[in-house]
Amino acid sequence: MSASAERNQVDAVVVGAGFAGLYQVHRLLKAGYRVRAFEKGSDVGGTWYWNRYPGARCDIESICYSYSFDEALQREWRWPQRYAEQPDILRYLQHVAERFNLRPHFAFNTAIEAAHYDEASQRWQVRTATGEEISSRFFIMATGCLSKPLEPNFKGLDLFTGERYQTSRWPHAGVDFTGKRVGMIGTGSSSIQSTPIIAQQAAQLFVFQRTPQFAIPAWNRELTDEEMRTAQESYAELRRLMRQSEVGIDYESPTIGAKEADAASLQKQLEFAWDRGGYLMLAAYPDLLTDLESNKLVSDWVKEKIRARIKDPAVAEKLIPRSYGFGTYRVPLETGYYDVYNQPNVELVDVSQAPIEAFTENGLKTAAGEYALDVIILATGFDAGTGSLTQMNIHGRDGRSLTEEWRKDIRSTLGLQVNGFPNLFTIAGPLAPSTAFCNMTTCLQQQVDWVTDTILYLREHHQTVIEPTVARQDAWVKHHDEIANATLLVRTKSWYTGANIKGKPIRLLSYIGGAANYRQICEEVKASGYPGFALA
Ligand code: NAP
């Protein structure tokens, strides 16, 4: 066999060079497998490679947002801030790639165009956009759950002669907004993080808002040497607590629900959670996401906090969410977001009743008026959960198309394997715990470990193929739906359920049964010899 043919006959193809892809390649190499990995971007980083907009930072505390698989790494790395900003996280992932010598195993600037499962050879035939054909036993997607940007189909999109940017495809050289009239479309996390910084530079900033958000303060700050040292020394215990937690970070919640608390203790508990900042506010009460009355109490309290930040009461009312409850749409952490609406150069444009109709040569037009702009920013979100996979043209047994199947109904087993697609693994795939309800670094590592252990199990048992049965898959979907449908999340229109994409089947995309519970289920499957999975 020639060297290039040998290079293209591998045990595993891994797609993506973010947190999951890097660790997956590392684990497989350590276990002695031949691996080729592919990444569309020009370097490692995944989410943190693409999302370079001003103000991009992680909403999970940096001490918890890192790998735990290597003791020396976690003891040596120093995070500068409580919430790490994008350049720091990217620097961390570049360091990991260097430290474990992972880059040589990746082909960068290389998208996967198509892949099909060949039943005769029991191998995946993978084709890249650069024309390579690779034959692999295992096909592992580490493509992230928020990777395919959603570009709304605005009329006249290309007529606009000014600058146009998408937050998730931000130019590496940055953008100078000085003296410019800027239009920001969308008010999700990406917009909420970037708006305060853009508002400092722009001559005028129009924020086009369709749905207001319950953003809560991050209370970001520098980490002291002492805090960092304490974390580094106690990582073993912290990681244990994180793994045992519901969402992959350690926290405590009161045992009673919000509606059972008297007014004084409710006020005290909410102020306490608010002052701790960030996601701990979601843990303020255990029934926040399941009980309408409790959710309303907390939502009303947060609404008052928002009102208190805005000088003009008419603007404040526009910023108050009314169609859903706190926590049922991804809660963005903010630093100076609400304050921008007190600046004279910032205008909030409510497009809920008067939608954006078209882009024009000089800006954009809503049903209520026209806006002259030099720059338009699309902070319009993603085709979450499925988008990164369905864009890839994946065909399993009997030519079954993953795109077609998920167009009708999004089904998966543990979020990690799909019936009809043997040896395909989808890390952070739909119906697995992912960004919405889990610290990604905790959950991704656990899923990579399960995938690797599964591949090792096959080797030990002289098997080459694993595929979930229809019955096992149906059971997982049923279990997932029962938990999801008992929460208030499914009542809110957002990317959590795919409702931001016209025609997408509605189902909560992330498993919400708890990270620790999910880990245990995965462990039991492994320990009991993969019941409900066909091994061949
Ligand atoms: P997003 O939360 O989906 O927000 C998209 C925004 O665009 C929404 O306000 C949406 O309005 C608006 N929009 C879409 N189409 C529109 C149209 N035709 N007209 C007017 N408005 C339109 O997207 P995102 O802000 O990029 O965040 C997505 C997720 O990425 C977050 O929820 C989070 O999980 C992750 N993220 C994380 C961080 C972090 O950790 N720091 C930062 C950024 C993003 P509607 O709500 O009305 O649809």
Side-chain angles (χ1 to χ4, degrees), residues 53 57-59 146 152 154 185-190 193 210-211 329-330 379-382 435 495:
Y53 57 82
R57 69 174 66 246
C58 185
D59 281 354
L146 292 161
F154 290 116
I185 304 180
T187 51
S189 299
S190 305
Q193 290 189 329
R210 192 165 64 182
T211 309
Y329 192 143
R330 164 63 152 77
T380 42
F382 300 87
T435 183
W495 67 260

Side-chain angles (χ1 to χ4, degrees), residues 47-48 51 53 55-60 65 146 150 152-154 167-168 185-193 208-213 279 329-333 351 355-356 379-382 435-436 493-496 499-500:
T47 284
W48 303 104
N51 291 269
Y53 57 82
R57 69 174 66 246
C58 185
D59 281 354
I60 302 286
Y65 194 78
L146 292 161
L150 172 63
N153 206 3
F154 290 116
T167 43
S168 51
I185 304 180
T187 51
S189 299
S190 305
S191 165
I192 282 174
Q193 290 189 329
F208 297 92
Q209 170 191 274
R210 192 165 64 182
T211 309
Q213 295 271 358
Y279 273 99
Y329 192 143
R330 164 63 152 77
V331 173
L333 299 199
V351 292
I356 297 170
T380 42
F382 300 87
T435 183
K493 223 177 141 212
S494 81
W495 67 260
Y496 273 5
N500 63 331

